[in-house]
Amino acid sequence: MRTLVAGIGNIFLGDDGFGVETALRLAERQLPDGVEVVDIGVRGVHLAYQLLDGYDTLVLADATARGEDPGTLYVIEYDGPAQPADGAPALDGHRMTPDTVLALLGALCAGTGAQPPRRTLIVGCEPASVEEGIGLSPPVSDAVPRAVQLIEELLRDGRPAPAETPPPIQTVPPAVTRPLSPAAAGEGLSAGGSNRPST
């Protein structure tokens, strides 16, 4: 089975570069066979076309604003393939959200007969700022190593290592979040880990 881990986001918009930095760090790790890691940045159209090659699982790393403290990590699961919206999805060369990428993928699959990934997960991080500027804020930078370890656990076990009272990953279209605060995530991740799909 093939798995694609893609870091998306704009490195020129502060914490929006979380997914890109996470993908770069993850690419340095020893990963299971069949796992590919790509730094997509804002090239969402490229990602959608790459997914036509056939992947069982897609993991997207992205800055995801859900109202928690900056640096909070989320696991978001899409329930089934993205359904194409009426007409072509709106494309933005500076910001491609997971929703936009998956909508485009759904449209491409409908037109080509290709199959989307069986499972799509997003590892998101609450940003502190997505204003113009290069570099992550301290809480988001600190979250990158935890995100790398979290993705490694997802690749290995299909879900994060349990915390003391772990809520399940939920699936409600189009997405439901499972927040992990910086403290709770540290408790729930096994020791030894190292080291930018938002709506």
Side-chain angles (χ1 to χ4, degrees):
M1 294 187 297
R2 300 175 67 196
T3 297
L4 183 67
V5 182
I8 62 177
N10 191 331
I11 62 171
F12 298 105
L13 294 179
D15 289 337
D16 201 46
F18 163 80
V20 171
E21 182 63 24
T22 298
L24 293 175
R25 298 279 190 93
L26 188 66
E28 299 172 351
R29 309 284 291 175
Q30 185 173 356
L31 300 172
D33 292 339
V35 176
E36 302 172 44
V37 181
V38 291
D39 162 17
I40 289 295
V42 296
R43 296 174 293 123
V45 174
H46 175 83
L47 173 59
Y49 276 96
Q50 181 169 347
L51 289 169
L52 294 178
D53 289 341
Y55 292 89
D56 181 71
T57 302
L58 170 65
V59 180
L60 296 173
D62 188 31
T64 306
R66 300 278 172 173
E68 300 290 336
D69 292 336
T72 299
L73 295 177
Y74 307 96
V75 174
I76 305 167
E77 180 158 2
Y78 275 74
D79 187 16
Q83 299 297 321
D86 294 336
L91 303 180
D92 182 347
H94 298 286
R95 183 73 176 97
M96 290 291 290
T97 69
D99 285 335
T100 304
V101 173
L102 294 173
L104 176 59
L105 175 62
L108 291 173
C109 288
T112 63
Q115 293 296 317
R118 178 185 61 84
R119 189 182 193 199
T120 298
L121 293 169
I122 302 169
V123 173
C125 180
E126 187 74 36
S129 173
V130 290
E131 299 298 323
E132 289 189 8
I134 298 176
L136 304 178
S137 66
V140 173
S141 180
D142 290 344
V144 170
R146 294 186 287 109
V148 169
Q149 190 171 351
L150 179 58
I151 293 172
E152 289 179 314
E153 290 171 349
L154 290 170
L155 294 174
R156 184 181 66 243
D157 305 324
R159 61 192 311 111
E164 292 182 1
T165 55
I169 297 176
Q170 302 174 13
T171 56
V172 177
V176 167
T177 62
R178 174 186 184 272
L180 296 174
S181 68
E187 294 175 359
L189 299 177
S190 56
S194 65
N195 334 26
R196 148 201 68 61
S198 323
T199 54

